[in-house]
Amino acid sequence: MRINRALRLGIGVAALALAAATTAGCGSSEKKSALDHAKGGKLTIGIKFDQPGLGLRNKDGSYSGFDVEVARYVAGKLGVKPDGITFKESPSPQRETLIENGQVDYIVATYSISDQRKEKVDFAGPYYIAGQSLLVRADNATINGPDDLKGKKVCSVKGSTPAQNLQKNFPDTQLQTNDTYSLCLEGLKAGSWDAVSTDDIILAGYAAQSAGSFKVVGKPFTTENYGIGLKKGDKELRDKVNDAVEAMIADGSWKKAFDQTVGASGYQAPTPPKVVRY
Ligand code: GLU
């Protein structure tokens, strides 16, 4: 019967359309990997926006710092030109989540490799080894190391390894945590805190910018291996990023990048670390 045939045809067309829509929907909603993004010439990379010498968003909207240079070099090795990179601010407490949710392809942001973080993300590197230290106002003569922090108001950042270390190993410190180190700096200037604690290389950048208002004191008292944070389980990506870090060290770009960024304020480049493939 004619009606029946028309009906069947109609159903057939609708089913086909539905199948096509489902396939298309699937393709577009499926999360692409960092290497897929790189193949398309684009990467979103997490960095800090407020750490001079390391990861800084300048007033003109450009980005500078050692982490930025590492991020760009790695992108280049993955086939992505500097203009294909979108930098995304990645404050310390948000880094694992940004990677897990696929909001960034990788993170180069003074990010210490730790067992706790390795439960959620993977790391390539290390590409630098820092150590926790203390920043005080230039006229402070009483704080010279972590043992002088008893009863002192110290600012660090939520979820950072230095904050965790103070909490655990120096519990008499009055620790206050913020989302960013620049907020800690404001409080140090205003007299709300006695010290700011994080990695030596970060504090050196702030001291250099402070025109003599702040100084870094004491010796570094932890080891912070800076890694490039990656989506957990993407071995191909991790191998490629590790290759890129090794190449950056071997061809002299690592030293050049360091000297032009952190080194510009007189900080000496240490011997670069060896990449650890776990
Ligand atoms: N390297 C430390 C960390 O990853 C401190 C620096 C930072 O917060 O970015 O927690």
Side-chain angles (χ1 to χ4, degrees):
M1 263 174 54
R2 211 184 273 163
I3 295 171
N4 251 343
R5 217 180 135 230
L7 201 68
R8 247 182 281 141
L9 246 174
I11 291 168
V13 169
L16 260 178
L18 193 72
T22 317
T23 321
C26 227
S28 58
S29 68
E30 213 170 74
K31 286 227 172 93
K32 288 191 175 160
S33 74
L35 289 175
D36 290 334
H37 292 151
K39 267 180 214 136
K42 288 198 161 39
L43 281 169
T44 306
I45 309 176
I47 57 163
K48 294 294 181 73
F49 275 16
D50 66 340
Q51 294 181 191
L54 290 158
L56 190 68
R57 188 177 194 275
N58 300 300
K59 286 207 178 76
D60 64 1
S62 63
Y63 299 93
S64 58
F66 183 59
D67 280 346
V68 172
E69 293 309 318
V70 172
R72 285 183 177 138
Y73 187 97
V74 170
K77 288 285 177 189
L78 299 178
V80 176
K81 297 203 180 75
D83 62 6
I85 299 172
T86 305
F87 285 113
K88 186 169 174 58
E89 186 172 22
S90 305
S92 301
Q94 292 169 29
R95 290 176 293 201
E96 286 84 44
T97 313
L98 286 166
I99 294 171
E100 285 179 305
N101 292 347
Q103 288 161 278
V104 292
D105 290 307
Y106 56 85
I107 285 186
V108 192
T110 60
Y111 198 7
S112 298
I113 301 172
S114 79
D115 287 341
Q116 200 185 335
R117 290 172 180 164
K118 272 202 229 163
E119 284 171 16
K120 295 181 173 175
V121 299
D122 273 337
F123 288 98
Y127 64 93
Y128 185 78
I129 301 172
Q132 182 172 0
S133 200
L134 298 165
L135 185 77
V136 296
R137 285 182 295 278
D139 59 3
N140 183 311
T142 53
I143 299 176
N144 291 300
D147 296 328
D148 302 327
L149 296 180
K150 240 184 204 163
K152 295 281 193 282
K153 290 192 209 113
V154 179
C155 186
S156 193
V157 161
K158 274 182 208 135
S160 70
T161 46
Q164 287 168 12
N165 181 41
L166 288 178
Q167 244 160 1
K168 198 172 158 224
N169 297 318
F170 302 92
D172 297 332
T173 308
Q174 286 187 44
L175 178 67
Q176 196 83 35
T177 51
N178 272 316
D179 272 335
T180 62
Y181 295 108
S182 43
L183 285 170
C184 283
L185 258 275
E186 281 172 30
L188 182 65
K189 197 179 275 172
S192 320
W193 341 110
D194 302 302
V196 174
S197 187
T198 186
D199 305 334
D200 49 0
I201 191 171
I202 301 174
L203 297 176
Y206 290 131
Q209 247 201 358
S210 78
S213 316
F214 305 134
K215 60 179 180 186
V216 182
V217 289
K219 289 201 182 79
F221 51 97
T222 65
T223 303
E224 307 293 326
N225 289 294
Y226 286 180
I228 299 177
L230 310 164
K231 182 59 95 17
K232 197 167 169 60
D234 192 342
K235 172 115 180 19
E236 192 188 354
L237 175 67
R238 184 147 53 102
D239 285 343
K240 288 198 164 138
V241 176
N242 275 330
D243 290 347
V245 173
E246 276 174 353
M248 186 176 187
I249 293 169
D251 73 10
S253 306
W254 185 95
K255 171 88 164 58
K256 194 170 153 216
F258 192 93
D259 289 345
Q260 285 173 350
T261 54
V262 184
S265 53
Y267 209 86
Q268 291 293 312
T271 334
K274 282 220 163 16
V275 164
V276 180
R277 296 179 191 249
Y278 63 88

